[in-house]
Amino acid sequence: MESLKLGSLEVWPPVVLAPMAGITNTAFRGLCREQGGGLFVCEMITTRALVERNAKTFKMIRFEPDESPRSLQLYGVDPVTVGRAVRMIAEEDLADHVDLNFGCPVPKVTRKGGGSALPYKRNLFRAILREAVRNAGTLPVTVKMRKGIDDDHLTYLDAGRIAVQEGVSAIALHGRTAIQHYGGTADWEAIARLKESVPEIPVLGNGDIWSAADARRMMDETGCDGVVVGRGCLGRPWLFADLAAMCEGVESTRRPRLGEVAATMDRHATLLAECFESEPHAVADFRKHVGWYLKGFTVGSDLRRRLATSETLAGLREGLAELEAGQPWPEGADLPRGKTNPRDRVQLPAGWLDDPYDLAVPSADAENDTSGG
């Protein structure tokens, strides 16, 4: 297996932690990096918030001194603003790598023409990539996208060819359409078709990787150059240890007992407290992780409730100490985590599907409701 080459960057193993809003802060990235190497992308931020120097945004793009390469994902809909944001990153040394988000399927993004809705507008998509690459200097620019809006409006092959033409360093494809959200099964054949269509640059596969064995199978079946892991590592940061071993040709499947899981939960919450510089904020933020860590284990409802409503690290640790440390890893615990339901329809701006080559830029408020301001 070869390392992942993104312009002048070389990433080993060829494994990427997907940016996830409210998840991939410095604490979670650090926890995953402790398990194994790769590329660990921070939470998505908006280009408009960055160029306006939004205080919340600058807190979100904090990196640890030993974090390398520093990877930052941008969401934007205006070529000019995207270009300004990328130039700012390059000139102020804010990151080593820029990823552009064209895969977000949530309604508050797609209904304004952003995320997974945007590649349908081929010329707008091209203009954004052109401005990003032109302003990046030596920084590699990559793209993360979906197959399209729905099966009647697939865009990934056109988008892939445009990305190559505009100098993008790599493409990550989530093998679902926007209407699928995170439901159904990821279409790995689409990843293989994209790889065949754009052999000039690396293609990364994303979707339904719950174990290192899944990653190995995806790479074997699709020929992709690396994998992007999102929901598969929720409550399972040790997955990156298995992935690193897989890339070295070693079979490894971590199956920690409940006591080891509890220790990891403690470590995660402690890192969050350091990240937020606020224990109450950290413990409140950690609550959403409790169910992911404990999925499949036998834990009483009262103890689960107390763990998920703790207000201090001490209170959280008291609950963790009550877990049955010797309880083995449950059968079938490597199951989907996070949102899985498909959508009835994709919310889009009025007339969005009328002309795929329309260059009209969505309004500035398309970035208002997304993370980072």
Side-chain angles (χ1 to χ4, degrees), residues 40-296:
F40 300 89
V41 189
C42 81
E43 299 175 76
M44 181 186 78
I45 63 169
T46 67
T47 56
R48 182 174 156 208
L50 183 63
V51 299
E52 292 177 355
R53 297 188 177 274
N54 178 280
K56 175 184 174 183
T57 295
F58 270 80
K59 287 182 179 179
M60 291 172 64
I61 61 174
R62 193 187 86 186
F63 295 96
E64 294 299 328
D66 63 342
E67 194 167 351
S68 180
R70 299 164 300 162
S71 182
L72 189 158
Q73 188 184 69
L74 293 177
Y75 162 76
V77 297
D78 181 353
V80 173
T81 307
V82 171
R84 289 176 60 196
V86 173
R87 178 178 288 273
M88 184 175 165
I89 293 166
E91 292 182 345
E92 299 183 22
D93 190 29
L94 300 179
D96 305 307
H97 159 244
V98 174
D99 185 56
L100 299 177
N101 182 299
F102 297 106
C104 183
V106 300
K108 68 181 181 181
V109 171
T110 61
R111 73 182 174 213
K112 294 181 178 179
S116 52
L118 197 144
Y120 182 75
K121 300 293 191 181
R122 274 69 164 178
N123 289 336
L124 177 60
F125 179 71
R126 182 186 295 278
I128 290 174
L129 299 190
R130 181 169 295 177
E131 286 300 305
V133 173
R134 187 173 69 86
N135 285 280
T138 60
L139 299 185
V141 175
T142 60
V143 165
K144 188 170 188 289
M145 62 186 188
R146 286 184 171 233
K147 290 170 56 183
I149 293 173
D150 53 36
D151 286 340
D152 293 325
H153 302 90
L154 298 177
T155 56
Y156 70 103
L157 293 179
D158 282 353
R161 287 187 284 268
I162 292 170
V164 170
Q165 291 163 5
E166 296 303 327
V168 166
S169 296
I171 304 169
L173 179 65
H174 186 149
R176 287 183 170 87
T177 56
I179 199 169
Q180 285 183 273
H181 203 62
Y182 294 98
T185 302
D187 179 8
W188 290 4
E189 289 185 9
I191 298 169
R193 288 194 292 273
L194 180 62
K195 178 59 187 174
E196 292 171 357
S197 178
V198 292
E200 301 94 334
I201 62 175
V203 169
L204 307 176
N206 178 220
D208 294 350
I209 296 178
W210 308 104
S211 67
D214 291 333
R216 176 75 273 178
R217 186 165 56 85
M218 175 186 278
M219 296 183 77
D220 287 344
E221 292 181 6
T222 70
C224 67
D225 302 283
V227 296
V228 178
V229 180
R231 294 176 301 146
C233 65
L234 295 178
R236 308 286 190 269
W238 51 82
L239 174 58
F240 286 93
D242 291 344
L243 291 168
M246 179 270 292
C247 291
E248 295 285 357
V250 178
E251 185 173 340
S252 171
T253 304
R254 288 286 310 278
R255 291 291 182 264
R257 293 180 179 273
L258 187 52
E260 297 175 72
V261 174
T264 302
M265 294 172 72
D266 188 343
R267 173 68 174 154
H268 190 169
T270 300
L271 289 172
L272 282 171
E274 296 173 2
C275 171
F276 295 139
E277 298 179 340
S278 166
E279 182 175 319
H281 184 182
V283 176
D285 187 80
F286 183 72
R287 291 171 184 167
K288 61 177 170 278
H289 294 273
V290 171
W292 295 328
Y293 276 111
L294 298 181
K295 188 177 180 68

Side-chain angles (χ1 to χ4, degrees), residues 318-370:
E318 287 177 6
L320 293 174
E322 295 180 36
L323 293 171
E324 182 187 350
Q327 188 177 147
W329 182 262
E331 289 293 326
D334 292 326
L335 297 173
R337 292 173 294 287
K339 298 177 181 178
T340 58
N341 295 329
R343 300 300 172 98
D344 294 330
R345 65 186 181 90
V346 180
Q347 294 187 28
L348 299 167
W352 189 255
L353 299 177
D354 292 348
D355 181 0
Y357 299 100
D358 178 17
L359 192 51
V361 175
S363 62
D365 69 352
E367 298 190 30
N368 283 350
D369 297 329
T370 55

